[in-house]
Amino acid sequence: MTQNSPKQLSLPVYLPDDETFQSYYPAVGNDELIQKLQATAEGSLSSSLYLFGPVKSGRTHLMHAACAHANDLDRRTLYIPLGIHASISPALFEGVESLHLICIDDIDAIAGHPIWEEALFHLYNRVAEQDDCQLIVSGSSSPTEAGFALPDLISRMQWGLIYQLQPMADEEKLLALQRRAAMRGLQLSDEVGRFLLTRMARDLRTLFDVLDKLDKASMVHQRKLTIPFIKEMLRL
């Protein structure tokens, strides 16, 4: 949950307990990004980091993880998902630079909205003037490709670190599924794991949710995770 600011109390956002750096399965090529996110959350890097990658690539998990890591260090944080910008106000940005870490998710949701873009531009400037405030933002595209209309905002976004989140290959997703299953005392064979990858949405959040459902079903029915059992339970 976001902490320690009057503005935060008015934002109905709660951080999931299970989305931390420890529970994140990085694809090959993302190790440096994870290190930089951790360092930014700790306050030991430049004032801003821009992370971009496709929808359901794990961006939101990493934003939650950065906040959780900072909270563990008693650093005051704020997480803002701009996918809900229609129900909140740009005034939310006012004064938040007094916090240690601000994580703004789905930044491109406000691209092309002049009032939001200007408010974000001024937030970047205020954060840059602080000694101990970091800003992490995420979007589906790079700053120059996200559709922002304010040139000065694009320029500010390019001041800090910029990383592209590399997608997981199917074999990496299979390994992540098997590790998750093992943590629950389940055995997930390569054959069954690949069956799930071909029949379900391939983002890890969906796959993990399906695995959780199958775990409960296997306990109720006292059956192993086989393809016939999965077909029966998921009505495939």
Side-chain angles (χ1 to χ4, degrees):
M1 183 177 68
T2 51
Q3 298 181 353
N4 300 330
S5 166
K7 287 186 173 60
Q8 289 169 288
L9 297 178
S10 64
L11 188 66
V13 175
Y14 295 87
L15 301 180
D17 294 336
D18 62 341
E19 294 194 355
T20 64
F21 287 123
Q22 290 72 28
S23 65
Y24 184 75
Y25 298 91
V28 172
N30 287 330
D31 289 344
E32 181 180 341
L33 165 61
I34 303 302
Q35 294 172 1
K36 297 300 185 183
L37 281 170
Q38 290 175 325
T40 302
E42 293 163 3
S44 58
L45 277 187
S46 63
S47 62
S48 67
L49 185 152
Y50 188 108
L51 160 68
F52 69 97
V55 174
K56 295 187 177 181
S57 61
R59 286 188 287 114
T60 295
H61 184 135
L62 289 175
M63 300 292 278
H64 291 163
C67 284
H69 187 56
N71 285 339
D72 287 343
L73 299 173
D74 293 326
R75 295 175 61 78
R76 293 177 298 143
T77 68
L78 174 62
Y79 171 76
I80 306 174
L82 285 184
I84 65 168
H85 72 276
S87 62
I88 57 178
S89 165
L92 181 68
F93 290 158
E94 296 175 6
V96 297
E97 67 275 7
S98 64
L99 303 172
H100 295 112
L101 178 66
I102 308 160
C103 289
I104 304 179
D105 209 356
D106 297 322
I107 196 78
D108 42 348
I110 56 95
H113 295 265
I115 295 176
W116 276 102
E117 287 197 20
E118 184 175 354
L120 185 58
F121 166 71
H122 291 305
L123 175 61
Y124 262 93
N125 288 338
R126 296 196 304 273
V127 168
E129 294 171 354
Q130 303 303 309
D131 294 328
D132 192 16
C133 179
Q134 273 66 40
L135 175 63
I136 300 175
V137 301
S138 90
S140 59
S141 305
S142 69
T144 56
E145 298 175 335
F148 294 107
L150 186 61
D152 286 343
L153 173 59
I154 297 173
S155 175
R156 295 299 183 272
M157 289 176 171
Q158 294 176 316
W159 276 1
L161 301 171
I162 300 177
Y163 281 91
Q164 182 174 7
L165 183 62
Q166 300 302 315
M168 295 183 80
D170 281 353
E171 288 303 307
E172 293 174 311
K173 292 179 182 178
L174 173 60
L175 182 58
L177 269 175
Q178 290 174 324
R179 288 176 176 172
R180 180 88 166 194
M183 290 172 60
R184 295 178 170 274
L186 297 171
Q187 184 177 1
L188 187 70
S189 69
D190 289 354
E191 180 185 17
V192 172
R194 291 193 177 99
F195 175 79
L196 288 173
L197 286 171
T198 58
R199 299 300 293 270
M200 310 303 300
R202 295 195 174 194
D203 63 284
L204 276 189
R205 171 51 63 188
T206 297
L207 289 168
F208 284 172
D209 287 345
V210 169
L211 186 61
D212 290 346
K213 180 179 179 179
L214 292 173
D215 177 25
K216 294 175 183 176
S218 69
M219 288 190 292
V220 171
H221 297 280
Q222 293 295 298
R223 291 175 62 182
K224 295 181 179 180
L225 292 186
T226 63
I227 291 177
F229 176 66
I230 290 174
K231 286 183 175 180
E232 180 184 345
M233 291 297 101
L234 300 180
R235 298 181 180 180
L236 297 175

